[in-house]
Amino acid sequence: MSLHERISRPLAVSALALTVALAAAPQAAAAQDAEAAEPGDVTSDAASQSITVTGFRASLESAVNRKREAQQIVESVSAEDIGKLPDASIAESIARLPGLTSQRVNGRSNAISIRGFAPDFSTTLLNGREQTSTGDNRAVEYDQYPSEVINAVNVYKTPMASLVGQGLSGTVDMRTIRPLDAGKRIITVGARGVYADLGKLNKGSDDKGYRVNGMYVDQFANDTLGIALGASYTDEPYQVQEFNSWGYADAADGNQVIGGSKSYNTSSKLKRLGLNGTLQWRPSPNFTSTIDAFYSNFKDDQIKRGIELPLYWSSATLNPGYTVEDGLINSGSFSNVKGVVRNDVFQRHANLYSFGWNNTWKGDDGWTAMFDASYSKTDRNELTIESYSGTGRAGEGATDTIGFTSASKGTTFTHQLDYGDWNQILLTSPQGWGGNQIGTDGTAIYNGQDGYYNNRKIKDELWQFRTEVTKEFNGSFFNSIQAGMNYTNHSKTLTPEEYFLGLAANTDGTVSVAVPEQYRLGTTNLKYLGLGNVISYNPLDLIRDGIYNLVPNPTGDVVSKGYAIREKLMTGYIQANIKSQIGASELTGNIGVQAIWTDQNSSGGSAAPNLDPVTGQQIVNANGSPAYIYSTRKSSTDYLDVLPSLNLSLRMPSEFVIRFAAAREIIRPRLDDMRASLEYGYTFTNGVAQVTGSSGNPDLRPWRANALDLTFEKYFAAKGYIAAQFFFKDLKSYVYNQDVVIDSSTLALPNPGNGYTISPTAVINIPVNGQGGNLYGVEVAGTLPFDAFTSVLSGFGVTGSVAYTESKIHPTPGEAASALPGYSKWVANGTAFFEKWGFNARGSVRYRSTFIGEVSGFAANRVRRRAQPETIIDAQIGYDFQPGSALEGLSLYIQGQNLTNAPFVTTNPGDSRQIIDYQRYGARYLAGFTYKF
């Protein structure tokens, strides 16, 4: 019996029927739940003999059928009810799909790795359209998108010619609901509360929060006009205990010892307003016009309080009597330690706008035409403020004796000074970092900076226009042919603003200041580190009221951090879709080619010290600031990529499907790697001034790969499946950094003075396209509702996957292949569930082996570190009030996330005992409801 025969027309909004509709209409949402029964219920209509399954099982069945009917290798997740995904966030739901995983940042999953590749190797679409990013590059950060306004997510692991904006590792397409396809009025509201069990780690922080959401879907004018409106507001706290080591030094006896520590209590408050709207107009069965709009206002505010301890890499002394184990000094003490108490602020504010307009005409003669226009924009400010305090300015004040014990959870300490004493711990520069600096406006810091202010302003804008025509054929091997053109104009700029913080009262380099009483917020306890209390205040208040001056950073490296990138892409494609009988089996799929013409433009700045031609000393401006020679660099290039693709699916009567795919794949380079900005200086040797520096590469080409996929899938009664998916990617190129030699005359170089001659060549470190390598693996996945095999276990089931990947890619020449960012050799996840009589319960586990992850470094830049394996356990229980109940339509649930408090841990390469990061996020508990009218 066919899928259409198993599902009756009156229940076309059920999860299974909507999946079938999606296969014929890409603009439709991936899945919707049935309206005839409440989540978790199974009802039987004696007249039509149809069965409606809703709840989590409906979500799984929808995903199973989307996978079965797809012409590519696809993984899907759909809303188990309008406004409620199976997990608390989109990223967490996607991370449970076969071959996918996520990295946690501040306890949240917000970036996705597909098949062992870093997030930058995939792309993310919203309703089939490319989106700007709240990150520094192309990868979308999923916590920008509220789960309540997303109806389904499809992950395409293989490309096809008509998929524009595809990635190398995969393409993620988030879908919102289509109101005319929903078929009836839907009104839902929901709310949840959240509790972070680490408590209030910082003064003024919260351990409780909430989220509210609503969705309205309706049709008018005889179902020719449809509207969908969704809103979600989040106000949720996150707490992190984070140990961080500077690294490990070579001690005098040849053993390794911790070089320094910078550890915090970090409290975050995530506030996000998400709005989504869709208007559909279908004046005739042949024509549909759809307008989409999405808006997100995102604020992630953090306060970080702790102590930075300069140890071996400072004037401190490692005392005798320490203990050593296999070359690592794991306990001992340092004397003459000058600790730096930190009260830091990190604020990430972003506004994301996305609009789309689609018009589709489907003629009665087999012709279909489509035009789509879209616009996406992100404005982001990322502010980092460091504020220092201690016993006195550099060379003054008491020092401490710090005991240390380095173990598997990082390093813990003992101390003698009281860092929570307001009379002893003063606003100052304990280490004298920065020395004397005179800003471009003439303001100055003396004998060390008292903090640092870094504001990064990012603007990202993308226009996209697409047109396509399709002709259907009856009875031929190719049942349709589609051809189209797409134009994309993408621009991204980064403007850095950097300042030293200097105490207004410090006019001679000797002044430290006690925190005025009105700014004192009490103390913060660093008991997990053994460091006791530290003074707590908000540096933003001190800047606002003039306690601190902002001194513009006069050094040239600030200029070289900025860039402006513009890409113009013209994409043409043609695709023939296959549908043919081969004996009792059916062959479906597509073959096509995509050609992308890229016009790549980059501009940036460079700055070099303006030197006196006689003395070689840097010239000083009239206001005392150092003089630099500034120049603007612009460069452009263009290139063509031709991307053939083939997808074949042999569908057998036994519901066994064999798929094969072959394609040429690309992903465009990181935007910061394409910057034209240049930073350089001199190295003086034997009368010659050698020019050295670093830069982006505006001529950078994409990563390119040839890919093969082979999968074997067995389906069970339209409810479950098991599959083995094999893949192979041969990267023809990879981007890594390399020293290159260029002509010095192409640079605006100052006279080095002192009779030095400038070398005719300069050595500049830039990203280049180098040799690639292979990445291959297997994914074993399945969804098994047990009632597909026996009615005794009705309501029970499991879903999950195990993926094994081998990498032969060397991201840097001479570096191990396993250092590929985002690469985990093993990724596994599983969920066991029960859903019946309105009750539902499920437990999930997610595992990934060691990988190279990205964490936030100095000045908010991203740095890569080796992360240890991690296992995350979540659970949920709930109840859906059944038809006939006075509370019909109400669903209640309780969730627990990260129940075992699994930490995020990074280590030094070569010695896993040398802990760099050890971050505890704690468990999170959530309770909430949804109500559907």
Side-chain angles (χ1 to χ4, degrees), residues 72-75 100 114 121-126 128 130 142 153-160 163-174 665-667:
Q72 302 162 266
I73 298 174
V74 176
E75 310 294 348
L100 279 70
I114 303 176
F121 286 86
S122 62
T123 56
T124 299
L125 314 176
L126 180 61
E130 292 185 68
Y142 290 94
V153 182
N154 299 319
V155 180
Y156 300 100
K157 292 182 175 177
T158 60
M160 61 182 177
L163 180 62
V164 175
Q166 59 201 13
L168 188 146
S169 62
T171 307
V172 179
D173 189 8
M174 300 182 292
E665 302 172 339
I666 66 167
I667 189 72

Side-chain angles (χ1 to χ4, degrees), residues 91-408:
E92 289 165 356
S93 298
I94 300 173
R96 301 191 190 284
L97 295 173
L100 279 70
T101 190
S102 67
Q103 179 185 334
R104 295 178 295 165
V105 177
N106 295 316
R108 304 194 302 268
S109 294
N110 73 338
I112 295 296
S113 295
I114 303 176
R115 287 181 162 176
F117 285 96
D120 286 322
F121 286 86
S122 62
T123 56
T124 299
L125 314 176
L126 180 61
N127 293 317
R129 306 174 180 114
E130 292 185 68
Q131 298 298 297
T132 53
S133 170
T134 55
D136 282 352
N137 292 287
R138 305 181 190 278
V140 164
E141 296 182 327
Y142 290 94
D143 55 9
Q144 191 77 18
Y145 296 89
S147 59
E148 293 87 353
V149 302
I150 302 298
N151 191 53
V153 182
N154 299 319
V155 180
Y156 300 100
K157 292 182 175 177
T158 60
M160 61 182 177
S162 59
L163 180 62
V164 175
Q166 59 201 13
L168 188 146
S169 62
T171 307
V172 179
D173 189 8
M174 300 182 292
R175 291 279 171 173
T176 57
I177 192 171
R178 309 287 89 178
L180 289 181
D181 297 324
K184 62 170 58 180
R185 178 182 298 167
I186 303 169
I187 303 175
T188 66
V189 294
R192 77 180 191 194
V194 60
Y195 170 68
D197 77 344
L198 284 183
K200 302 176 182 179
L201 294 183
N202 282 292
K203 293 294 182 180
S205 68
D206 294 321
D207 57 3
K208 301 178 184 67
Y210 66 95
R211 176 185 290 196
V212 294
N213 64 276
M215 174 74 72
Y216 171 71
V217 181
D218 210 345
Q219 303 79 34
F220 308 93
N222 295 320
D223 291 338
T224 62
L225 188 67
I227 188 171
L229 300 173
S232 172
Y233 181 74
T234 297
D235 186 335
E236 292 187 348
Y238 291 83
Q239 304 284 349
V240 186
Q241 294 174 331
E242 50 179 303
F243 163 80
N244 172 260
S245 167
W246 286 5
Y248 293 80
D250 292 320
D253 61 1
N255 294 303
Q256 296 278 298
V257 66
I258 185 170
S261 167
K262 183 173 64 176
S263 304
Y264 298 100
N265 280 348
T266 298
S267 300
S268 302
K269 177 61 72 76
L270 174 63
K271 294 184 178 180
R272 180 190 59 208
L273 172 65
L275 302 174
N276 180 72
T278 299
L279 179 66
Q280 270 191 304
W281 181 48
R282 188 175 292 156
S284 73
N286 301 90
F287 177 72
T288 303
S289 184
T290 305
I291 297 175
D292 290 298
F294 173 78
Y295 169 72
S296 174
N297 177 267
F298 180 91
K299 294 181 179 179
D300 184 8
D301 293 338
Q302 296 181 15
I303 186 71
K304 304 167 78 74
R305 297 192 174 107
I307 305 178
E308 187 161 11
L309 296 173
L311 299 173
Y312 196 86
W313 285 322
S314 73
S315 58
T317 301
L318 177 62
N319 297 321
Y322 52 78
T323 62
V324 181
E325 182 180 350
D326 295 331
L328 178 65
I329 300 175
N330 56 19
S331 67
S333 67
F334 287 91
S335 58
N336 196 38
V337 176
K338 195 73 176 298
V340 182
V341 175
R342 300 284 294 266
N343 280 255
D344 296 356
V345 167
F346 176 80
Q347 294 184 343
R348 190 179 205 186
H349 295 178
N351 285 293
L352 187 151
Y353 310 84
S354 181
F355 304 95
W357 181 35
N358 181 273
N359 295 277
T360 301
W361 170 266
K362 185 174 178 62
D364 297 325
D365 55 358
W367 284 97
T368 299
M370 181 271 289
F371 172 76
D372 191 275
S374 63
Y375 174 73
S376 179
K377 178 184 178 182
T378 299
D379 293 327
R380 175 175 126 234
N381 267 43
E382 197 167 271
L383 175 64
T384 303
I385 299 175
E386 300 178 356
S387 174
Y388 312 147
S389 53
T391 58
R393 197 162 291 278
E396 300 177 359
T399 61
D400 202 355
T401 297
I402 298 290
F404 68 95
T405 301
S406 297
S408 60

Side-chain angles (χ1 to χ4, degrees), residues 117 121 168 703-706 728-734 770-775 809 820:
F117 285 96
F121 286 86
L168 188 146
W703 286 279
R704 298 183 173 105
N706 296 329
F728 174 83
K729 292 186 187 291
D730 177 19
L731 265 76
K732 311 310 293 184
S733 69
Y734 197 90
Q771 186 176 359
N774 299 327
L775 187 137
I809 303 168
L820 180 69

Side-chain angles (χ1 to χ4, degrees), residues 39-41 835-840 878-882:
D41 188 32
E835 194 168 65
K836 197 172 185 179
W837 305 305
F839 292 99
N840 57 80
Y879 181 74
D880 307 318
F881 288 89
Q882 299 297 284

